[in-house]
Amino acid sequence: MFENLGVLSFWTYLAGVVLVIIVPGPNSLYVLKSSTSHGTRSGYRAVLGVLTGDAILIFLSFIGVASVINASPTLFMIVRYLGAAYLLYLGIKIIYATFFQKKSLTSGSEPAVIKSEKHFTRALVLSLTNPKAILFFISFFIQFIDFNYANAWIPYLVLASILEVISFIYLSLLIFSGYLIARFLREKQVLAKLGNCTIGALFMGFAAKLAIFSH
């Protein structure tokens, strides 16, 4: 069936995508943090940012821009350090807000000083500055596209749709998990702070790993 749409080894692709998506990373961690701290709406804004970022990277892969970035050590290094810097910024911001922001991060309502739009923007930036995501779309993703197919955009669209649907389902599970975690931690401020510090430290760890990631 999928071979008729220019897709090769569909089940292998499906299994690979599921494994890649469920491995913890900055995007999924940020979605979980958004829903835990600010509710399901903010979580879904973050999900929209992640899905939009993936769609943009797929389009860039389709037109060849991602391959150009990967082929240029300088451009790839710029993207890598931008991503590391942004992850470090988010980690520090989370830890700072945990101890110095007056309103509780687990109160279930978003502080007035944080605009809701930022959840989308931050998730989008996380996606677009992740060099491993770029490598995924130009090394793994394209292996399942039959470039002899008359309309190359069709298998791209099929594979992208599958990726986005699976991502949406998985991130939705994280959002509702975050909601339950937030309810549990609402009256347990010490545990809430410990959880926020752990997430902030993980972001900083991702930043350090990305900074030393070798091409």
Side-chain angles (χ1 to χ4, degrees), residues 78-100:
I78 291 173
V79 172
R80 176 158 57 95
Y81 283 113
L82 283 175
Y86 195 68
L87 285 169
L88 181 62
Y89 162 76
L90 287 179
I92 293 173
K93 186 177 180 65
I94 290 171
I95 292 176
Y96 176 85
T98 299
F99 292 102
F100 299 102

Side-chain angles (χ1 to χ4, degrees), residues 64-85:
V65 173
S67 297
V68 172
I69 293 175
N70 185 54
S72 171
T74 301
L75 285 176
F76 191 84
M77 181 183 67
I78 291 173
V79 172
R80 176 158 57 95
Y81 283 113
L82 283 175

Side-chain angles (χ1 to χ4, degrees), residues 20-74:
V20 168
I21 289 175
I22 64 176
V23 172
N27 290 346
S28 57
L29 190 62
Y30 184 70
V31 169
L32 180 61
K33 177 67 177 68
S34 298
S35 60
T36 302
S37 298
H38 308 298
T40 57
R41 288 187 179 183
S42 295
Y44 274 110
R45 291 188 186 102
V47 169
L48 183 59
V50 171
L51 298 183
T52 302
D54 286 345
I56 292 173
L57 289 177
I58 292 171
F59 178 72
L60 293 178
S61 174
F62 176 69
I63 65 177
V65 173
S67 297
V68 172
I69 293 175
N70 185 54
S72 171
T74 301

Side-chain angles (χ1 to χ4, degrees), residues 148-164:
N148 293 319
Y149 193 74
N151 299 303
W153 64 269
I154 293 179
Y156 263 95
L157 181 61
V158 172
L159 296 180
S161 299
I162 293 169
L163 173 70
E164 298 284 59

